[in-house]
DNA sequence: GCGGATTTGTTCGTATGTATA
DNA sequence: GTATACATACGAACAAATCCG
């Protein structure tokens, strides 16, 4: 429209408009998008621009494309399929979450470094993972503030962050996890109701978004008896 | 070039050629790529095609692009690009191996079960993994006898079994690893010269050959301070 | 099941804006 | 400040897969 708005590329503007329609559930998974020709007319742009929009949406895993057929909104993938290769397994029947702390911080140097952002507001979440009433894990999680706003309200409702991110159209391109073992300290032992000195599995994770910038950093400590980490390479 | 290859889109062919140069370390992280104009001439294609190649490489996180500057190979540790998946890392300078036990057994029920062979001779190997003179890990390894014959003579010479298998043309189709934590027992503590009660990372591994039958089962316990387990999904 | 119309995938050429060197 | 190089955007053509009567 105006000269100010022209800073944002057309293909990004159109991409956002299409994502909005999916977010607002005007288009639900499985629905066909308009054809490229229709989109060209609708937004009054060239095929090149529409194709770049479509390519990005497909690359981000938001839509699925096939030659000769109109693009469709992607069916939300199952949790298991999102992590091919690695399977976490927590044992127990009834799982729940207790939120210990949830706040925005400005001065956490280590988290800022992990998230590669400086002097910015960071959302911090500390939770207890509970199975059948017994604590089995202790989690500290950091995200940039804009992600925190998406997840903080229901921080006790979700067990795993990735489905929540997916529902908010925040996709990731890679996950890195470091696994090590440590002894439980007094603070953690009291929280989990165990004896100081027991061993824990400690998992540090950094998740990168589709722009390859960090969107989440977390450290989780599990009781080995209730947790198993399985890696499969090949098939 | 040839007629056969023409099925593959140009931008994919060029992408592969560029990735090859990075894999072969002709271009190392930080190196600039040729400009788009140079690539156009070199491959005799249009700007559109080169741009699609560049866009994909950037989106995949293999190169970094900035407006006005030539693209550069992204700073990424080499292991990760070549073998996305799992990286073990043992810290230390000078590594060595001490063989504790090396023998053929007939009556090890658990190993027979893991290797899915019955009433057959199994090769058993127990080794200490040493870094700078200090034990950092304790490994028990089982293979079918025919594999044992290939590896037993030099059991103190190799640190990792897979290169040895590869040199003997024994290939694998998959690896499964379970990671957990445990407390060191008295036997292990004495072997590694540590205090009973320290935590260990425990990795159980089953390797399947190209015929999908097990060729190796092992259990290794590491001192967390000297070991790190890294899993990467995506790239 | 066949065949034409539609739609996406690839590639060319060209032009302009904007950030870097 | 100028030349270079990348980012965006237009138009056009053909190939390949799909869709529909």
């Amino acid at each position: 429209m105006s000269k100010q708005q022209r800073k944002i590329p057309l293909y990004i503007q159109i991409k956002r408009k299409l994502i909005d329609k999916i977010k607002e559930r005007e288009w639900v998974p499985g629905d066909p998008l308009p054809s490229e020709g229709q989109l060209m007319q609708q937004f009054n742009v060239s095929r090149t621009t529409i194709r770049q929009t479509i390519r990005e949406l497909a690359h981000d895993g938001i839509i699925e494309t096939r030659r000769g057929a109109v693009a469709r909104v992607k069916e939300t993938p199952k949790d298991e399929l999102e992590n091919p290769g690695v399977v976490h397994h927590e044992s127990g029947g009834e799982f729940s979450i207790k939120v210990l702390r949830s706040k925005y911080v400005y001065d956490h140097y280590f988290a800022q470094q992990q998230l590669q952002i400086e002097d910015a507001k960071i959302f911090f979440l500390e939770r207890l993972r509970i199975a059948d009433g017994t604590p089995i894990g202790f989690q500290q999680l950091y995200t940039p503030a804009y992600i925190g706003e998406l997840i903080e309200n229901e921080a006790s409702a979700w067990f795993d962050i990735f489905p929540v991110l997916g529902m908010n159209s925040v996709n990731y391109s890679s996950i890195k996890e470091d696994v090590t073992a440590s002894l439980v300290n007094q603070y953690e032992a009291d929280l989990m109701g165990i004896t100081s000195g027991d061993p824990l599995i400690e998992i540090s994770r950094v998740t990168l978004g589709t722009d390859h910038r960090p969107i989440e950093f977390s450290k989780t400590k599990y009781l080995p008896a209730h947790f198993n980490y399985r890696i499969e390479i090949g098939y």
Side-chain angles (χ1 to χ4, degrees), chain A residues 106-124:
Chain A
Y106 296 85
D107 55 354
H108 199 299
Y109 174 70
F110 185 65
Q112 280 179 349
Q113 190 183 325
Q114 292 293 321
L115 294 175
Q116 290 173 27
I117 50 183
E118 291 176 19
D119 305 321
K121 194 162 63 165
I122 286 180
F123 177 63
F124 168 65

Side-chain angles (χ1 to χ4, degrees), chain A residues 35-59:
Chain A
S35 74
E36 294 181 1
Q38 290 173 312
L39 291 171
M40 284 167 67
Q41 287 181 32
Q42 188 175 328
F43 294 104
N44 195 33
V45 296
S46 72
R47 174 117 189 269
T48 311
T49 303
I50 292 298
R51 277 215 56 71
Q52 184 152 2
T53 301
I54 296 292
R55 230 190 339 248
E56 293 239 334
L57 288 170
H59 209 292

Side-chain angles (χ1 to χ4, degrees), chain A residues 116-165:
Chain A
Q116 290 173 27
I117 50 183
E118 291 176 19
D119 305 321
K121 194 162 63 165
I122 286 180
F123 177 63
F124 168 65
L125 187 60
E126 190 176 77
R127 313 190 308 166
L128 216 50
R129 303 171 79 84
I130 298 164
D132 298 321
T134 306
I136 61 167
F138 169 72
Q139 180 174 53
Q140 291 175 317
L141 185 146
Y142 304 84
T143 72
Y146 76 96
I147 302 277
E149 288 160 13
L150 301 173
I151 63 176
E152 69 172 323
N153 287 332
E154 315 242 23
S156 63
W158 46 269
F159 210 66
D160 192 2
I161 194 176
F162 296 110
V164 186
L165 293 179

Side-chain angles (χ1 to χ4, degrees), chain A residues 161-177:
Chain A
I161 194 176
F162 296 110
V164 186
L165 293 179
M167 278 192 294
N168 286 286
S169 298
V170 177
N171 298 299
Y172 62 85
S173 65
S174 75
I175 299 172
K176 295 185 185 184
E177 296 190 329

Side-chain angles (χ1 to χ4, degrees), chain A residues 134-138 180-202 221-226:
Chain A
T134 306
I136 61 167
F138 169 72
T180 185
S182 63
L183 291 176
V184 65
N185 62 35
Q186 193 60 55
Y187 173 61
E188 294 158 353
D190 290 347
L191 278 172
M192 296 204 257
I194 57 175
T195 308
S196 178
D198 281 1
L200 295 176
I201 295 187
E202 182 177 321
K221 298 181 180 188
Y222 288 99
L223 290 171
H226 295 83

